[in-house]
Amino acid sequence: MDIYKISTIEELLADNTYPGRGIIIGKTPDGTKAMTAYFIMGRSANSRNRIFTEKNGEVFTEPFDAGKVQDPSLIIYAAVRQYENNLIVTNGNQTNTIYDGLKDGRCFTKALESREFEPDGPNFTPRISGMLTFEDGDFTYQMSILKSADAEGSACNRFTYKYAPLSGLGHFLHTYVCDGNPIPTFQGEPERIAVCDDIDEETNRLWNALNEQNRISLYVRYVDLKTGAAENRLVNKNK
């Protein structure tokens, strides 16, 4: 087993109909840009009734048809926010928890100590989070997963990973291993994944690798490490 193998998104998602929600953070092969991506998928009508919207550099999940919303508590949230030199990306309303924690002087890990997995038993969907911190013409990044310690949801296990970026390498964290009933929670460390220099190539490869029936929305952001300029792509299945 090659622990340093870097897989493509196609290899990691081949025949996987439901990895759930996913975050990718990495550095482009040419070393000039930081990248992050976030996608959502859905099986139920409530989960599929969503789109991404972008407002003032922040990204939100919103209902596509407001009249069909059944339970907004776990599906409507800010997914991407920035506080000072930190870009936050998560799969739930813990985006605001991290943002508020940073404002109050807490670090990424400490801010998340007040949260745990989602209360959606029997799946107990993990909360996954990422944060890029930009400084001195480069960046570092962290990823977190909060997941149930057992099938009953009686305790929360917390894992945080901190990375120095390497050109061409990203890390991919998603909520589920694959489809199932209940859906099996992601296991192990974030997966090592190849990233592209070109944001359009990256966006197309990610979107096309997601199961066509279950994919809902995708957001990709590239940040120029020299200038700080950001370039974004947003794809919604519901239009």
Side-chain angles (χ1 to χ4, degrees), residues 47-69:
S47 291
R48 290 178 174 179
N49 180 35
R50 288 183 290 174
I51 56 172
F52 282 170
T53 61
E54 186 175 13
K55 303 172 185 176
N56 300 319
E58 299 183 340
V59 179
F60 300 85
T61 62
E62 293 188 350
F64 175 62
D65 184 342
K68 294 182 179 180
V69 174

PDB file of all heavy atoms in Angstrom, residues 47-69:
ATOM      1  N   SER A  47     -33.727  17.177   0.610  1.00  0.00           N
ATOM      2  CA  SER A  47     -32.303  17.434   0.375  1.00  0.00           C
ATOM      3  C   SER A  47     -32.039  17.893  -1.048  1.00  0.00           C
ATOM      4  O   SER A  47     -31.125  18.686  -1.298  1.00  0.00           O
ATOM      5  CB  SER A  47     -31.489  16.173   0.667  1.00  0.00           C
ATOM      6  OG  SER A  47     -31.492  15.883   2.046  1.00  0.00           O
ATOM      7  N   ARG A  48     -32.814  17.380  -1.987  1.00  0.00           N
ATOM      8  CA  ARG A  48     -32.585  17.728  -3.385  1.00  0.00           C
ATOM      9  C   ARG A  48     -33.136  19.095  -3.751  1.00  0.00           C
ATOM     10  O   ARG A  48     -32.794  19.646  -4.801  1.00  0.00           O
ATOM     11  CB  ARG A  48     -33.203  16.654  -4.295  1.00  0.00           C
ATOM     12  CG  ARG A  48     -32.453  15.335  -4.231  1.00  0.00           C
ATOM     13  CD  ARG A  48     -33.098  14.275  -5.085  1.00  0.00           C
ATOM     14  NE  ARG A  48     -32.285  13.055  -5.115  1.00  0.00           N
ATOM     15  CZ  ARG A  48     -32.623  11.951  -5.768  1.00  0.00           C
ATOM     16  NH1 ARG A  48     -33.764  11.904  -6.452  1.00  0.00           N
ATOM     17  NH2 ARG A  48     -31.822  10.898  -5.738  1.00  0.00           N
ATOM     18  N   ASN A  49     -33.970  19.644  -2.903  1.00  0.00           N
ATOM     19  CA  ASN A  49     -34.601  20.939  -3.169  1.00  0.00           C
ATOM     20  C   ASN A  49     -33.697  22.074  -2.690  1.00  0.00           C
ATOM     21  O   ASN A  49     -34.042  22.876  -1.832  1.00  0.00           O
ATOM     22  CB  ASN A  49     -35.958  20.999  -2.454  1.00  0.00           C
ATOM     23  CG  ASN A  49     -36.685  22.313  -2.687  1.00  0.00           C
ATOM     24  OD1 ASN A  49     -36.609  22.908  -3.763  1.00  0.00           O
ATOM     25  ND2 ASN A  49     -37.375  22.787  -1.661  1.00  0.00           N
ATOM     26  N   ARG A  50     -32.453  22.120  -3.249  1.00  0.00           N
ATOM     27  CA  ARG A  50     -31.502  23.132  -2.798  1.00  0.00           C
ATOM     28  C   ARG A  50     -30.689  23.674  -3.965  1.00  0.00           C
ATOM     29  O   ARG A  50     -30.525  23.021  -4.994  1.00  0.00           O
ATOM     30  CB  ARG A  50     -30.542  22.538  -1.760  1.00  0.00           C
ATOM     31  CG  ARG A  50     -31.164  22.264  -0.424  1.00  0.00           C
ATOM     32  CD  ARG A  50     -30.146  21.750   0.575  1.00  0.00           C
ATOM     33  NE  ARG A  50     -29.685  20.408   0.259  1.00  0.00           N
ATOM     34  CZ  ARG A  50     -28.719  19.783   0.911  1.00  0.00           C
ATOM     35  NH1 ARG A  50     -28.086  20.396   1.892  1.00  0.00           N
ATOM     36  NH2 ARG A  50     -28.366  18.557   0.586  1.00  0.00           N
ATOM     37  N   ILE A  51     -30.161  24.866  -3.744  1.00  0.00           N
ATOM     38  CA  ILE A  51     -29.189  25.468  -4.649  1.00  0.00           C
ATOM     39  C   ILE A  51     -28.136  26.180  -3.804  1.00  0.00           C
ATOM     40  O   ILE A  51     -28.355  26.459  -2.621  1.00  0.00           O
ATOM     41  CB  ILE A  51     -29.831  26.488  -5.620  1.00  0.00           C
ATOM     42  CG1 ILE A  51     -30.573  27.586  -4.841  1.00  0.00           C
ATOM     43  CG2 ILE A  51     -30.759  25.800  -6.616  1.00  0.00           C
ATOM     44  CD1 ILE A  51     -31.064  28.737  -5.701  1.00  0.00           C
ATOM     45  N   PHE A  52     -26.986  26.452  -4.409  1.00  0.00           N
ATOM     46  CA  PHE A  52     -25.995  27.346  -3.813  1.00  0.00           C
ATOM     47  C   PHE A  52     -26.229  28.752  -4.350  1.00  0.00           C
ATOM     48  O   PHE A  52     -26.506  28.943  -5.539  1.00  0.00           O
ATOM     49  CB  PHE A  52     -24.569  26.936  -4.194  1.00  0.00           C
ATOM     50  CG  PHE A  52     -24.019  25.766  -3.428  1.00  0.00           C
ATOM     51  CD1 PHE A  52     -22.827  25.173  -3.831  1.00  0.00           C
ATOM     52  CD2 PHE A  52     -24.656  25.253  -2.309  1.00  0.00           C
ATOM     53  CE1 PHE A  52     -22.291  24.100  -3.148  1.00  0.00           C
ATOM     54  CE2 PHE A  52     -24.133  24.180  -1.610  1.00  0.00           C
ATOM     55  CZ  PHE A  52     -22.940  23.604  -2.029  1.00  0.00           C
ATOM     56  N   THR A  53     -26.087  29.734  -3.478  1.00  0.00           N
ATOM     57  CA  THR A  53     -26.073  31.131  -3.900  1.00  0.00           C
ATOM     58  C   THR A  53     -24.840  31.794  -3.298  1.00  0.00           C
ATOM     59  O   THR A  53     -24.369  31.401  -2.227  1.00  0.00           O
ATOM     60  CB  THR A  53     -27.328  31.891  -3.442  1.00  0.00           C
ATOM     61  OG1 THR A  53     -27.401  31.882  -2.002  1.00  0.00           O
ATOM     62  CG2 THR A  53     -28.584  31.270  -4.018  1.00  0.00           C
ATOM     63  N   GLU A  54     -24.324  32.804  -3.987  1.00  0.00           N
ATOM     64  CA  GLU A  54     -23.153  33.528  -3.504  1.00  0.00           C
ATOM     65  C   GLU A  54     -23.511  34.990  -3.303  1.00  0.00           C
ATOM     66  O   GLU A  54     -24.091  35.624  -4.194  1.00  0.00           O
ATOM     67  CB  GLU A  54     -21.989  33.413  -4.493  1.00  0.00           C
ATOM     68  CG  GLU A  54     -20.695  34.022  -3.972  1.00  0.00           C
ATOM     69  CD  GLU A  54     -19.510  33.790  -4.902  1.00  0.00           C
ATOM     70  OE1 GLU A  54     -19.739  33.383  -6.057  1.00  0.00           O
ATOM     71  OE2 GLU A  54     -18.370  34.018  -4.464  1.00  0.00           O
ATOM     72  N   LYS A  55     -23.199  35.505  -2.106  1.00  0.00           N
ATOM     73  CA  LYS A  55     -23.500  36.900  -1.777  1.00  0.00           C
ATOM     74  C   LYS A  55     -22.283  37.494  -1.076  1.00  0.00           C
ATOM     75  O   LYS A  55     -21.902  37.028   0.008  1.00  0.00           O
ATOM     76  CB  LYS A  55     -24.722  36.982  -0.854  1.00  0.00           C
ATOM     77  CG  LYS A  55     -25.974  36.340  -1.423  1.00  0.00           C
ATOM     78  CD  LYS A  55     -27.084  36.281  -0.387  1.00  0.00           C
ATOM     79  CE  LYS A  55     -28.290  35.527  -0.908  1.00  0.00           C
ATOM     80  NZ  LYS A  55     -29.358  35.378   0.126  1.00  0.00           N
ATOM     81  N   ASN A  56     -21.687  38.505  -1.705  1.00  0.00           N
ATOM     82  CA  ASN A  56     -20.545  39.198  -1.113  1.00  0.00           C
ATOM     83  C   ASN A  56     -19.425  38.246  -0.704  1.00  0.00           C
ATOM     84  O   ASN A  56     -18.816  38.387   0.365  1.00  0.00           O
ATOM     85  CB  ASN A  56     -20.996  40.022   0.100  1.00  0.00           C
ATOM     86  CG  ASN A  56     -22.024  41.074  -0.253  1.00  0.00           C
ATOM     87  OD1 ASN A  56     -21.913  41.742  -1.281  1.00  0.00           O
ATOM     88  ND2 ASN A  56     -23.045  41.205   0.574  1.00  0.00           N
ATOM     89  N   GLY A  57     -19.158  37.265  -1.567  1.00  0.00           N
ATOM     90  CA  GLY A  57     -18.069  36.340  -1.309  1.00  0.00           C
ATOM     91  C   GLY A  57     -18.400  35.199  -0.375  1.00  0.00           C
ATOM     92  O   GLY A  57     -17.545  34.342  -0.113  1.00  0.00           O
ATOM     93  N   GLU A  58     -19.621  35.179   0.156  1.00  0.00           N
ATOM     94  CA  GLU A  58     -20.055  34.088   1.014  1.00  0.00           C
ATOM     95  C   GLU A  58     -21.033  33.200   0.246  1.00  0.00           C
ATOM     96  O   GLU A  58     -21.769  33.684  -0.622  1.00  0.00           O
ATOM     97  CB  GLU A  58     -20.707  34.620   2.290  1.00  0.00           C
ATOM     98  CG  GLU A  58     -19.761  35.458   3.130  1.00  0.00           C
ATOM     99  CD  GLU A  58     -20.373  35.920   4.438  1.00  0.00           C
ATOM    100  OE1 GLU A  58     -21.618  35.932   4.540  1.00  0.00           O
ATOM    101  OE2 GLU A  58     -19.611  36.267   5.357  1.00  0.00           O
ATOM    102  N   VAL A  59     -21.023  31.907   0.581  1.00  0.00           N
ATOM    103  CA  VAL A  59     -21.850  30.943  -0.140  1.00  0.00           C
ATOM    104  C   VAL A  59     -22.877  30.342   0.811  1.00  0.00           C
ATOM    105  O   VAL A  59     -22.544  29.971   1.944  1.00  0.00           O
ATOM    106  CB  VAL A  59     -20.981  29.829  -0.748  1.00  0.00           C
ATOM    107  CG1 VAL A  59     -21.851  28.810  -1.487  1.00  0.00           C
ATOM    108  CG2 VAL A  59     -19.949  30.424  -1.699  1.00  0.00           C
ATOM    109  N   PHE A  60     -24.112  30.249   0.342  1.00  0.00           N
ATOM    110  CA  PHE A  60     -25.204  29.750   1.162  1.00  0.00           C
ATOM    111  C   PHE A  60     -25.953  28.638   0.422  1.00  0.00           C
ATOM    112  O   PHE A  60     -26.050  28.664  -0.809  1.00  0.00           O
ATOM    113  CB  PHE A  60     -26.199  30.876   1.480  1.00  0.00           C
ATOM    114  CG  PHE A  60     -25.606  32.031   2.222  1.00  0.00           C
ATOM    115  CD1 PHE A  60     -24.969  33.061   1.534  1.00  0.00           C
ATOM    116  CD2 PHE A  60     -25.676  32.101   3.603  1.00  0.00           C
ATOM    117  CE1 PHE A  60     -24.408  34.135   2.212  1.00  0.00           C
ATOM    118  CE2 PHE A  60     -25.119  33.171   4.293  1.00  0.00           C
ATOM    119  CZ  PHE A  60     -24.490  34.188   3.598  1.00  0.00           C
ATOM    120  N   THR A  61     -26.483  27.684   1.188  1.00  0.00           N
ATOM    121  CA  THR A  61     -27.462  26.773   0.625  1.00  0.00           C
ATOM    122  C   THR A  61     -28.841  27.397   0.839  1.00  0.00           C
ATOM    123  O   THR A  61     -29.127  27.919   1.915  1.00  0.00           O
ATOM    124  CB  THR A  61     -27.419  25.395   1.308  1.00  0.00           C
ATOM    125  OG1 THR A  61     -27.743  25.538   2.697  1.00  0.00           O
ATOM    126  CG2 THR A  61     -26.038  24.765   1.178  1.00  0.00           C
ATOM    127  N   GLU A  62     -29.650  27.346  -0.189  1.00  0.00           N
ATOM    128  CA  GLU A  62     -30.989  27.901  -0.106  1.00  0.00           C
ATOM    129  C   GLU A  62     -31.960  26.959  -0.803  1.00  0.00           C
ATOM    130  O   GLU A  62     -31.567  26.167  -1.669  1.00  0.00           O
ATOM    131  CB  GLU A  62     -31.045  29.283  -0.767  1.00  0.00           C
ATOM    132  CG  GLU A  62     -30.252  30.346  -0.037  1.00  0.00           C
ATOM    133  CD  GLU A  62     -30.470  31.741  -0.600  1.00  0.00           C
ATOM    134  OE1 GLU A  62     -31.103  31.847  -1.681  1.00  0.00           O
ATOM    135  OE2 GLU A  62     -30.022  32.706   0.035  1.00  0.00           O
ATOM    136  N   PRO A  63     -33.246  27.012  -0.444  1.00  0.00           N
ATOM    137  CA  PRO A  63     -34.223  26.162  -1.130  1.00  0.00           C
ATOM    138  C   PRO A  63     -34.401  26.606  -2.571  1.00  0.00           C
ATOM    139  O   PRO A  63     -34.423  27.809  -2.860  1.00  0.00           O
ATOM    140  CB  PRO A  63     -35.501  26.349  -0.310  1.00  0.00           C
ATOM    141  CG  PRO A  63     -35.329  27.665   0.375  1.00  0.00           C
ATOM    142  CD  PRO A  63     -33.853  27.805   0.630  1.00  0.00           C
ATOM    143  N   PHE A  64     -34.531  25.645  -3.465  1.00  0.00           N
ATOM    144  CA  PHE A  64     -34.832  25.950  -4.856  1.00  0.00           C
ATOM    145  C   PHE A  64     -36.301  26.333  -4.979  1.00  0.00           C
ATOM    146  O   PHE A  64     -36.654  27.311  -5.632  1.00  0.00           O
ATOM    147  CB  PHE A  64     -34.514  24.733  -5.722  1.00  0.00           C
ATOM    148  CG  PHE A  64     -34.903  24.886  -7.165  1.00  0.00           C
ATOM    149  CD1 PHE A  64     -34.336  25.879  -7.948  1.00  0.00           C
ATOM    150  CD2 PHE A  64     -35.844  24.042  -7.747  1.00  0.00           C
ATOM    151  CE1 PHE A  64     -34.694  26.031  -9.281  1.00  0.00           C
ATOM    152  CE2 PHE A  64     -36.209  24.185  -9.080  1.00  0.00           C
ATOM    153  CZ  PHE A  64     -35.630  25.177  -9.842  1.00  0.00           C
ATOM    154  N   ASP A  65     -37.165  25.579  -4.310  1.00  0.00           N
ATOM    155  CA  ASP A  65     -38.601  25.860  -4.273  1.00  0.00           C
ATOM    156  C   ASP A  65     -38.984  25.991  -2.801  1.00  0.00           C
ATOM    157  O   ASP A  65     -39.110  24.992  -2.084  1.00  0.00           O
ATOM    158  CB  ASP A  65     -39.391  24.729  -4.932  1.00  0.00           C
ATOM    159  CG  ASP A  65     -40.883  25.008  -5.008  1.00  0.00           C
ATOM    160  OD1 ASP A  65     -41.356  25.895  -4.263  1.00  0.00           O
ATOM    161  OD2 ASP A  65     -41.582  24.335  -5.784  1.00  0.00           O
ATOM    162  N   ALA A  66     -39.148  27.226  -2.337  1.00  0.00           N
ATOM    163  CA  ALA A  66     -39.418  27.468  -0.918  1.00  0.00           C
ATOM    164  C   ALA A  66     -40.699  26.790  -0.452  1.00  0.00           C
ATOM    165  O   ALA A  66     -40.829  26.419   0.722  1.00  0.00           O
ATOM    166  CB  ALA A  66     -39.506  28.974  -0.658  1.00  0.00           C
ATOM    167  N   GLY A  67     -41.639  26.585  -1.351  1.00  0.00           N
ATOM    168  CA  GLY A  67     -42.903  25.961  -0.984  1.00  0.00           C
ATOM    169  C   GLY A  67     -42.797  24.480  -0.679  1.00  0.00           C
ATOM    170  O   GLY A  67     -43.726  23.897  -0.115  1.00  0.00           O
ATOM    171  N   LYS A  68     -41.667  23.862  -1.037  1.00  0.00           N
ATOM    172  CA  LYS A  68     -41.495  22.424  -0.820  1.00  0.00           C
ATOM    173  C   LYS A  68     -40.574  22.097   0.352  1.00  0.00           C
ATOM    174  O   LYS A  68     -40.300  20.929   0.604  1.00  0.00           O
ATOM    175  CB  LYS A  68     -40.947  21.778  -2.097  1.00  0.00           C
ATOM    176  CG  LYS A  68     -41.919  21.827  -3.273  1.00  0.00           C
ATOM    177  CD  LYS A  68     -41.330  21.136  -4.489  1.00  0.00           C
ATOM    178  CE  LYS A  68     -42.309  21.157  -5.656  1.00  0.00           C
ATOM    179  NZ  LYS A  68     -41.747  20.492  -6.862  1.00  0.00           N
ATOM    180  N   VAL A  69     -40.105  23.108   1.072  1.00  0.00           N
ATOM    181  CA  VAL A  69     -39.196  22.866   2.192  1.00  0.00           C
ATOM    182  C   VAL A  69     -39.936  22.165   3.324  1.00  0.00           C
ATOM    183  O   VAL A  69     -40.993  22.613   3.760  1.00  0.00           O
ATOM    184  CB  VAL A  69     -38.586  24.186   2.703  1.00  0.00           C
ATOM    185  CG1 VAL A  69     -37.755  23.941   3.959  1.00  0.00           C
ATOM    186  CG2 VAL A  69     -37.736  24.817   1.622  1.00  0.00           C
TER     187      VAL A  69
END
